[in-house]
Amino acid sequence: MEFGPHLMIAVLEGAVTAAVLALMASGLSLVFGVMRVVNVAHGQFFMLGAVLAWAVSSALGGGAWGFVAALVLAPLIAGALAVAADLTVLKRVGYDPERTIVATIGLLYILQQAALMTYGPEARPVAPPFNTRLALPWVEFGPDGPGLIWPWGLSITSYKLFVMAAAAAVLAGLWLLMSQTRIGLVMRATQLDGETAQAFGIPVGRVYAGVFGLGAALAALAGVLIVPIQQAHYLMGGEALLLSFIVVIIGGLGSLGGTVIAALLIGLSDGIVSVFFSPTLAKILATLLVALVLVFRPQGLMGKAAR
Amino acid sequence: MPASKIPSKPASGTELSSASGVDEPPRSPARRSALKTLAAAAGGASLPLWARYAEAQSAAPIRIGFQMHATGIGAAYGRWYNRTTEAALRLINEAGGINGRPVELVTEDDGTDPKRGAEVVEKFATQHRCDVGYGTLFSHVVMSSAPRAGELKLPYFVVSEGHHVASGALNRWTLQPGITDVKSQVLAMAPFVRENLGRKVTMIFPDYAFGHDHRDFFTQAIEAQGGEVVAKLAIPPSETSFTKYFPKIPRETEVIYHVMVGPSVLTFVKEMGEFFGPSRPEIFGFIDSLEAVDLQSPGLEFLEGTYFWEGMPRYAQPDQTDFDRHYRAAIGIDENGALAADPRDVSAYAHMFGCWETLYVIKAGMEACGYRGPDDRAALVEAVEAMSTMPLSNEHPQGAKIFNGKTHQVFGPQYISKVENGRLTVLEETPIEAGFYPDEVDYTTQPL
């Protein structure tokens, strides 16, 4: 394939990865920002979203409505589970940083094995509500000036465009929630100083439960969006968690803007490096980037230094 | 199989005639033995299960250690290998077991993980006291487990396809008598690809041992036919999205050759369709890329008119044999290769016959050497090595086969199918000889 169209397809593929990654990593970043909890089980909520999407849509006989129902129900169920986990486990260990890591590792295994025992070890597909292949044109300069050509393989599907738009809309909604609403104000107050917030009558315990639920719901939503492109599989949470950690470390833990920028950076570089060189090199570069960020700017691109 | 060639111990039933006290030899031993067998079978069928084995020297069950990919990336195969194995064992036990003893399956999940594979083999030999190890498919698990089986002197019957057994990379305790290897398969396929589809081929394959077998042997095979591989796309087996690889397919490509495995196979084929759209080259795939996947899945319409290798035809063909009918009925599979009870549960039909046939080879081997227990393991290996032809039968429903005792590898027919109206129609059955290649090892020279 020629360089131009080749690059374009790499960018488009990278953008899909970036969209899903941004959703997922923003959940991880939010939970850390407000609660100072490193949620190792985050990848499993992503997997849960995908598995629940299969369960919901196949219970409703597939089709577009099944997918819409999954889009609503799966994040709600995953969020409710996370709230329950927060109240029964994280609260009991007092949100102590070390103990929450161990607790969420336990949660990771419980969720993964529960999925294996109920859903099974197979990968299962969910039909996208729409999936038209859109052939894309490319400009070529011929003897008669510039003209449009349709190169072999240069295309995207309408569903992939929808994933990008949906992720952008949800992230914009999340930003509005955090910056413009009373809920956001309460969350930010809790983030700044939990004890003072409690003294001012903010129910910190309920805020924590809600934030943990919201983080899980964002991961689950990313899982629902990705499942018609890939498939639901009980092991899919592992790599997603790794990439999310890479994104939040580069972007700055707790910073939504940094997360989105880092997701774009990692998603696009993954797409472009994978296409032109190799996917393994893309992972190596991402890990190298994390090391460089930790050495030269430990708080991340947009994170604030600890006070 | 000529049992006389095997250095065997007397079978348990042969001492009965001397105990009968009759001096003059029977007039028609064949007739007498046939009548005795018939009577025993008729009597046996009316007895409770435990009593049928009373004539054997030991009523203790023969234990077959089944290394199953119950979880991990091989889970879809594991599920069907298990169903096939249980169906074959049920029939074997109903017919009186092996050497008059019931056969029992000891199943352990290896997680499709090489490290756990070796541990499972060890458990079979030391903890469960299994007579043989059996069943594994993914080549990286075979590669790690076989050395341990050799050290523990446990006959290890693999149902893989890798060329690892016949290449001599393993040891005398590892045998592959139920399924052909990749080298043999691609040798049989290459002439069809070259003559019917095109000369310039781009290969897409998983980036580990099994995929490398395809890469190396198909490249050789197509070059021998006057063709050429213009690009090789190796994809990590755990990859979940594939579009980013496809731009590397050169424009001059006339044929795409694809073989993928693991949980993302459906995604792979679907994305390939989205990438090419209406202007695709000819496509020849190994059914591994769609094993256990419904051909009617959304996004697979573009496969119409493409070609597949099948180990055994998934869809019942007009000239279906009685043996195929018997095999499908025993496992509970419909004419589309799916579970009769749940048509959405599509089988790994092109591979799982290997489990069925391997079990019958184990049975034949144990009967030939009068197998009594773990002390006879070496005799069992020698008995299987002495096998040569395996006729098309209920025991070998995929086709007649020729076993090479030196390389421990079986050879059989291959099927080339075309997707027509959303199902696979067999175009060609290649002769066994099309998959022959010179021996690369003689395991029989290694000490047992």
Side-chain angles (χ1 to χ4, degrees):
Chain A
M1 189 180 256
E2 301 79 3
F3 180 76
H6 197 160
L7 182 66
M8 186 157 157
I9 208 164
V11 169
L12 287 172
E13 282 303 301
V16 177
T17 312
V20 173
L21 208 49
L23 267 187
M24 175 144 179
S26 62
L28 188 65
S29 177
L30 186 71
V31 167
F32 181 80
V34 176
M35 304 167 68
R36 300 279 134 185
V37 165
V38 177
N39 181 14
V40 185
H42 198 63
Q44 301 312 312
F45 288 110
F46 171 75
M47 177 273 291
L48 209 57
V51 165
L52 286 170
W54 176 83
V56 170
S57 76
S58 57
L60 294 175
W65 286 112
F67 184 75
V68 172
L71 212 50
V72 177
L73 285 178
L76 281 180
I77 299 171
L81 255 175
V83 169
D86 175 78
L87 295 176
T88 52
V89 182
L90 299 183
K91 195 176 173 185
R92 308 260 161 171
V93 299
Y95 301 104
D96 172 69
E98 285 89 14
R99 286 198 282 174
T100 50
I101 289 184
V102 178
T104 52
I105 290 175
L107 194 57
L108 178 161
Y109 284 114
I110 292 171
L111 290 175
Q112 194 182 67
Q113 294 305 308
L116 174 62
M117 287 160 74
T118 51
Y119 167 85
E122 282 86 36
R124 298 174 207 220
V126 171
F130 46 84
N131 199 29
T132 319
R133 179 182 186 271
L134 308 167
L136 298 175
W138 186 255
V139 181
E140 199 174 54
F141 292 91
D144 312 324
L148 285 183
I149 56 160
W150 271 262
W152 185 28
L154 181 59
S155 66
I156 192 156
T157 64
S158 53
Y159 182 75
K160 284 183 178 172
L161 289 176
F162 163 75
V163 169
M164 291 182 221
V170 171
L171 287 170
L174 186 65
W175 178 76
L176 283 176
L177 179 82
M178 292 298 284
S179 62
Q180 306 291 318
T181 66
R182 192 179 149 70
I183 299 174
L185 187 68
V186 166
M187 287 203 291
R188 280 182 291 140
T190 314
Q191 176 171 4
L192 274 174
D193 189 337
E195 281 180 22
T196 313
Q198 186 134 30
F200 277 86
I202 291 175
V204 171
R206 267 194 275 164
V207 173
Y208 277 5
V211 167
F212 199 65
L214 181 60
L218 284 169
L221 184 65
V224 180
L225 287 175
I226 202 72
V227 78
I229 298 177
Q230 300 178 3
Q231 291 172 79
H233 187 237
Y234 83 106
L235 290 175
M236 69 194 286
E239 198 187 319
L241 177 73
L242 183 70
L243 280 174
S244 306
F245 267 120
I246 288 176
V247 164
V248 291
I249 290 171
I250 293 174
L253 270 167
S255 152
L256 189 59
T259 302
V260 173
I261 293 172
L264 282 171
L265 194 68
I266 293 300
L268 289 180
S269 80
D270 187 69
I272 294 168
V273 177
S274 300
V275 166
F276 286 99
F277 301 97
S278 93
T280 315
L281 185 67
K283 301 278 182 299
I284 293 172
L285 286 181
T287 318
L288 187 67
L289 196 56
V290 167
L292 289 176
V293 164
L294 287 176
V295 170
F296 293 106
R297 199 178 157 80
Q299 71 273 31
L301 294 180
M302 303 280 281
K304 295 183 185 72
R307 284 171 300 164
Chain B
M1 186 204 65
S4 59
K5 281 189 187 167
I6 302 153
S8 64
K9 300 190 166 104
S12 57
T14 53
E15 284 137 28
L16 287 173
S17 59
S18 61
S20 66
V22 181
D23 288 328
E24 73 180 86
R27 278 190 202 111
S28 169
R31 187 167 160 267
R32 199 178 91 155
S33 117
L35 283 173
K36 211 169 81 177
T37 310
L38 273 176
S46 64
L47 288 172
L49 198 62
W50 61 267
R52 291 182 203 169
Y53 310 109
E55 250 191 287
Q57 287 182 335
S58 161
I62 285 175
R63 293 161 75 80
I64 294 183
F66 176 30
Q67 193 181 13
M68 179 184 172
H69 301 327
T71 54
I73 59 170
Y77 284 96
R79 178 165 47 109
W80 282 99
Y81 269 35
N82 188 42
R83 284 176 179 160
T84 310
T85 300
E86 296 209 322
L89 270 195
R90 197 186 67 238
L91 291 187
I92 288 175
N93 276 327
E94 279 172 9
I98 298 178
N99 288 339
R101 291 165 60 189
V103 187
E104 192 179 279
L105 204 62
V106 179
T107 307
E108 285 275 354
D109 178 17
D110 65 16
T112 329
D113 173 0
K115 183 171 173 293
R116 267 174 72 185
E119 289 165 0
V120 164
V121 163
E122 194 165 304
K123 280 180 89 173
F124 288 153
T126 56
Q127 186 182 335
H128 298 307
R129 307 243 164 245
C130 290
D131 296 281
V132 298
Y134 152 89
T136 197
L137 164 75
F138 270 59
S139 55
H140 55 333
V141 184
V142 174
M143 292 301 279
S144 73
S145 306
R148 198 75 194 101
E151 286 161 16
L152 295 164
K153 298 190 180 299
L154 182 77
Y156 184 48
F157 291 86
V158 298
V159 191
S160 180
E161 290 171 292
H163 180 57
H164 33 246
V165 179
S167 71
L170 304 178
N171 56 63
R172 196 173 176 184
W173 293 90
T174 307
L175 303 118
Q176 188 150 261
I179 192 163
T180 57
D181 69 331
V182 169
K183 185 170 183 176
S184 180
Q185 293 164 3
V186 302
L187 273 171
M189 294 297 107
F192 177 87
V193 173
R194 172 66 190 90
E195 285 159 26
N196 300 287
L197 306 182
R199 204 174 70 79
K200 293 185 172 177
V201 186
T202 289
M203 297 185 70
I204 308 174
F205 53 88
D207 197 3
Y208 75 110
F210 164 77
H212 297 169
D213 279 353
H214 273 274
R215 175 196 66 191
D216 298 343
F217 301 126
F218 183 77
T219 305
Q220 288 170 14
I222 199 78
E223 279 169 3
Q225 298 291 323
E228 157 185 31
V229 174
V230 291
K232 298 173 185 175
L233 269 59
I235 299 185
S238 57
E239 187 56 273
T240 49
S241 70
F242 303 89
T243 306
K244 56 193 175 200
Y245 294 92
F246 296 136
K248 290 192 184 137
I249 298 170
R251 192 165 292 278
E252 53 181 326
T253 300
E254 293 166 5
V255 191
I256 301 277
Y257 173 105
H258 66 90
V259 50
M260 285 301 293
V261 289
S264 304
V265 287
L266 175 58
T267 311
F268 167 75
V269 183
K270 211 164 55 108
E271 291 191 0
M272 188 159 64
E274 282 165 7
F275 179 82
F276 285 119
S279 56
R280 63 166 177 80
E282 291 285 4
I283 295 181
F284 181 89
F286 272 64
I287 196 70
D288 309 57
S289 297
L290 273 184
E291 198 69 302
V293 170
D294 191 349
L295 266 185
Q296 307 289 334
S297 302
L300 298 191
E301 304 80 10
F302 93 100
L303 284 174
E304 192 68 23
T306 71
Y307 301 85
F308 278 99
W309 164 88
E310 290 192 281
M312 187 171 184
R314 179 191 291 186
Y315 292 84
Q317 302 296 312
D319 59 349
Q320 183 193 22
T321 62
D322 288 342
F323 312 117
D324 184 60
R325 209 169 281 126
H326 165 81
Y327 169 76
R328 276 179 205 260
I331 310 172
I333 292 181
D334 67 14
E335 58 176 19
N336 297 323
L339 203 62
D342 179 6
R344 288 172 309 169
D345 195 351
V346 176
S347 68
Y349 207 78
H351 293 84
M352 65 199 209
F353 70 88
C355 289
W356 179 282
E357 300 205 2
T358 303
L359 278 174
Y360 276 105
V361 169
I362 295 173
K363 178 178 187 287
M366 285 184 166
E367 286 171 353
C369 72
Y371 185 89
R372 283 172 305 191
D375 290 345
D376 295 335
R377 283 172 178 161
L380 172 62
V381 170
E382 286 171 340
V384 177
E385 281 172 351
M387 294 184 180
S388 54
T389 54
M390 301 169 179
L392 177 68
S393 55
N394 276 344
E395 289 75 31
H396 298 281
Q398 184 258 358
K401 295 201 177 55
I402 293 172
F403 183 72
N404 184 338
K406 287 183 179 169
T407 64
H408 285 195
Q409 177 60 54
V410 83
F411 295 84
Q414 314 292 342
Y415 297 88
I416 299 165
S417 303
K418 187 177 185 183
V419 184
E420 288 178 339
N421 305 318
R423 70 198 302 279
L424 287 156
T425 307
V426 174
L427 298 183
E428 205 173 303
E429 177 185 340
T430 65
I432 302 177
E433 298 74 32
F436 282 169
Y437 51 80
D439 291 357
E440 293 166 29
V441 66
D442 184 357
Y443 283 121
T444 59
T445 59
Q446 295 180 2
L448 274 168

